[in-house]
Amino acid sequence: MKPLFIFLRWLPWLCTPALLSAQNQLTVSVLDATSKEPVVGATLSAKMQHWGAVTDSAGAIIIPADFKEAQIHVHCIGYRPWAGAIPPARVILIEPDESLLGTVVVTATMKEVSKDVSPIPVEIYTHRFFQKSASPSIFEALVAVNGVKPQLNCNVCNTGDIHINGMEGPYTMVTIDGMPLVGGLASVYGLSGIPNGIVDRIEIIKGPAGVLFGSEAVGGVVNIITKNTQSAPRLFADVYMASNQEFNTELAYNSRIGKARNLTGVNYFNYQNPQDINGDNFTDVALQHRISIFNKTAVALKNQQFATLGWRYIYEDRWGGELQWSPQWRGTDSIYGESIYTKRFELIAKLPFNIRKQLFQLDLSGNLHHQNSAYGTTLFLGNQHITFGQLSTTINHNEQVETLIGAAVRYTFYNDNTPATTSVSRTWLPGVFLQSMFRLNNRNTLLGGLRYDYNSIHRHILTPRVSWKWSPEPGHAL
């Protein structure tokens, strides 16, 4: 009993420092004013007290209690500056500003650079942009982007592709987190069924980007960047139903598994209401039933980088044709209909590592795509497998010159039941690339690059690139 008595006697004195410390500190949260999501990496400063700090992965920051009435300044890339006293609720809401040139982009140079530094013009559209348009997929929402045209290639089954600046769909590269997951057979499915809750932003390059992404990027690049698992909201849900009985549900959940952060997203879309406004006895819009599951896991490494592994599975059943068509008439000439069953699995992985203090990035991706289609009595059975690997690094010669070098290889397997494919098509595409950026002065930036690929069918492919940017003053660029 004596030790217990001594502990109870000294307990108030032991707790006093902790209580005084808690009383001398305030926990403040910085949130996005639109989505109410935590803002990671926002800088808070109190100039009169010569103090500054950065918000953590939950958007929180601890400040001295003495600063409660002080003038606090908040700055974060992609948001408008905020200044004022700490609100009574201790929550600071900052407004996003997607027009700021200081926004970070990665598609132009394969590394994070400020948009005003990048010599390649990149347009950025955050998930908030697509939330404003009630579209069941990013493919349809892109119609609001100037110069980007989602084009339907089939009036009955409503499949399509992406055109940039008038170039045909095969010349537009669609990537997820920089990985080329979309090829020929899957031109539309790369943008269908991606839950809006896992999309951080979409970066679009309108114009040639073949040096970094290969010959399929002659028209441009649409790069879907998923949310950082360290800063994504714990739970996201978006459900809507239109008057034409179109139903769409999106769910995303961010969790911690040991030392890893895991982001899971699910998209479900259903439209089963045949309409024939023009009275031709054919469906005006294809009926669809689609489910897509996305998962991304990130693990922190010793070099302050993150290794990520992601995958996505999509299944879709769509059909169009005569109003009285039903699955029992699939593949027959009794009632005309076009029916497409699609199964697709995608895998991406990123692994940064150091060799003699030089940071390298290893990127791996692969996809399996199976399509079973019936156009009246004509059956189309297609299979496509794509495997991709890339190793790259950036060499900083000095503050004015940096060089990106890398090597990549892609293997494509394709087979279908048409006469055009008399034998299985296997294509190897190894290549190397080099791109240097020269900051000549505060106004001029020059970028030059060269890529060499060897296609096992088309042989040698050489892709040069030259870009010059002139900024006469901040906020203006040519």
Side-chain angles (χ1 to χ4, degrees):
M1 292 293 295
K2 187 174 182 180
L4 178 61
F5 173 77
I6 295 175
F7 174 77
L8 294 175
R9 180 181 179 183
W10 286 94
L11 181 61
W13 297 100
L14 294 173
C15 294
T16 298
L19 293 173
L20 290 175
S21 177
Q23 292 175 355
N24 293 331
Q25 293 179 339
L26 297 175
T27 300
V28 178
S29 298
V30 180
L31 304 180
D32 185 301
T34 303
S35 64
K36 302 303 185 293
E37 298 176 6
V39 178
V40 181
T43 301
L44 276 72
S45 61
K47 295 183 178 179
M48 297 301 295
Q49 283 78 11
H50 303 286
W51 171 88
V54 178
T55 57
D56 60 17
S57 60
I61 191 171
I62 297 176
I63 67 173
D66 298 342
F67 294 175
K68 186 176 182 180
E69 304 296 332
Q71 185 80 355
I72 302 295
H73 296 264
V74 182
H75 296 274
C76 186
I77 291 178
Y79 292 88
R80 297 172 185 170
W82 184 94
I86 300 297
R90 299 180 187 177
V91 175
I92 298 176
L93 301 177
I94 57 178
E95 296 285 342
D97 190 347
E98 298 165 13
S99 64
L100 290 178
L101 288 176
T103 304
V104 173
V105 297
V106 298
T107 307
T109 58
M110 286 190 177
K111 62 171 293 187
E112 291 188 349
V113 297
S114 178
K115 185 178 178 181
D116 58 347
V117 173
S118 172
I120 305 297
V122 181
E123 294 186 9
I124 304 170
Y125 298 90
T126 69
H127 64 282
R128 291 181 292 270
F129 175 84
F130 298 102
Q131 283 178 330
K132 296 175 183 177
S133 60
S135 300
S137 70
I138 295 177
F139 173 78
E140 297 182 14
L142 285 175
V143 72
V145 179
N146 185 34
V148 178
K149 181 182 179 182
Q151 176 170 300
L152 294 178
N153 297 328
C154 177
N155 292 331
V156 178
C157 59
N158 294 152
T159 57
D161 51 24
I162 304 294
H163 292 207
I164 295 182
N165 290 342
M167 297 288 289
E168 294 297 322
Y171 297 110
T172 298
M173 173 70 77
V174 180
T175 65
I176 297 180
D177 288 334
M179 293 293 94
L181 294 176
V182 178
L185 195 61
S187 58
V188 65
Y189 300 102
L191 294 176
S192 296
I194 298 178
N196 195 37
I198 60 98
V199 175
D200 180 63
R201 66 187 186 275
I202 295 181
E203 297 182 0
I204 299 176
I205 296 179
K206 300 175 184 177
V211 169
L212 299 185
F213 296 95
S215 56
E216 292 182 7
V218 173
V221 177
V222 178
N223 187 15
I224 303 168
I225 300 176
T226 58
K227 287 186 177 179
N228 188 333
T229 57
Q230 308 299 312
S231 58
R234 184 70 179 271
L235 180 65
F236 171 88
D238 186 8
V239 180
Y240 84 85
M241 176 179 285
S243 59
N244 63 350
Q245 301 181 25
E246 182 180 88
F247 178 76
N248 188 74
T249 301
E250 294 180 351
L251 298 172
Y253 180 68
N254 187 10
S255 60
R256 181 183 294 275
I257 303 177
K259 296 182 179 180
R261 297 288 300 188
N262 192 73
L263 177 63
T264 302
V266 178
N267 171 261
Y268 176 76
F269 175 76
N270 195 350
Y271 172 68
Q272 302 293 328
N273 180 31
Q275 294 190 19
D276 179 24
I277 298 178
N278 58 4
D280 61 355
N281 198 42
F282 267 71
T283 55
D284 295 334
V285 180
L287 283 75
Q288 301 178 50
H289 181 210
R290 180 179 65 240
I291 184 169
S292 175
I293 304 173
F294 176 89
N295 189 84
K296 178 181 178 182
T297 303
V299 180
L301 304 178
K302 294 181 180 180
N303 57 2
Q304 297 183 343
Q305 300 290 326
F306 288 89
T308 60
L309 176 66
W311 58 268
R312 183 170 75 114
Y313 174 78
I314 180 172
Y315 171 79
E316 184 180 72
D317 174 9
R318 69 166 65 192
W319 73 269
E322 296 186 61
L323 296 180
Q324 60 270 34
W325 186 91
S326 62
Q328 63 178 323
W329 306 117
R330 192 176 196 269
T332 69
D333 59 359
S334 300
I335 300 176
Y336 185 82
E338 297 182 0
S339 171
I340 302 175
Y341 300 153
T342 299
K343 296 179 181 179
R344 180 174 175 84
F345 179 78
E346 303 167 344
L347 182 70
I348 60 175
K350 290 179 175 289
L351 177 63
F353 60 93
N354 291 312
I355 298 180
R356 296 183 179 181
K357 298 183 179 181
Q358 178 67 33
L359 180 63
F360 288 81
Q361 176 82 30
L362 177 63
D363 298 320
L364 302 171
S365 71
N367 64 69
L368 307 175
H369 186 106
H370 175 71
Q371 185 166 316
N372 183 335
S373 306
Y375 305 95
T377 58
T378 302
L379 298 179
F380 174 81
L381 305 176
N383 287 283
Q384 184 180 57
H385 308 157
I386 299 178
T387 305
F388 175 81
Q390 178 174 279
L391 180 65
S392 62
T393 185
T394 299
I395 301 175
N396 296 308
H397 305 282
N398 50 52
E399 294 183 356
Q400 285 73 39
V401 182
E402 65 178 39
T403 300
L404 171 70
I405 59 175
V409 61
R410 184 189 303 186
Y411 170 75
T412 303
F413 168 93
Y414 178 76
N415 189 28
D416 61 36
N417 64 330
T418 66
T421 309
T422 56
S423 61
V424 175
S425 173
R426 293 182 173 89
T427 306
W428 285 94
L429 185 65
V432 294
F433 59 90
L434 180 147
Q435 179 174 274
S436 294
M437 184 166 64
F438 306 88
R439 299 182 180 89
L440 304 180
N441 49 49
N442 294 333
R443 296 185 176 182
N444 294 275
T445 303
L446 179 66
L447 181 127
L450 185 67
R451 184 186 186 100
Y452 170 76
D453 292 306
Y454 181 81
N455 189 296
S456 58
I457 297 178
H458 304 291
R459 305 303 178 186
H460 309 282
I461 302 175
L462 194 65
T463 309
R465 182 190 216 181
V466 176
S467 179
W468 168 63
K469 180 179 180 179
W470 175 54
S471 302
E473 58 185 37
H476 296 82
L478 174 65

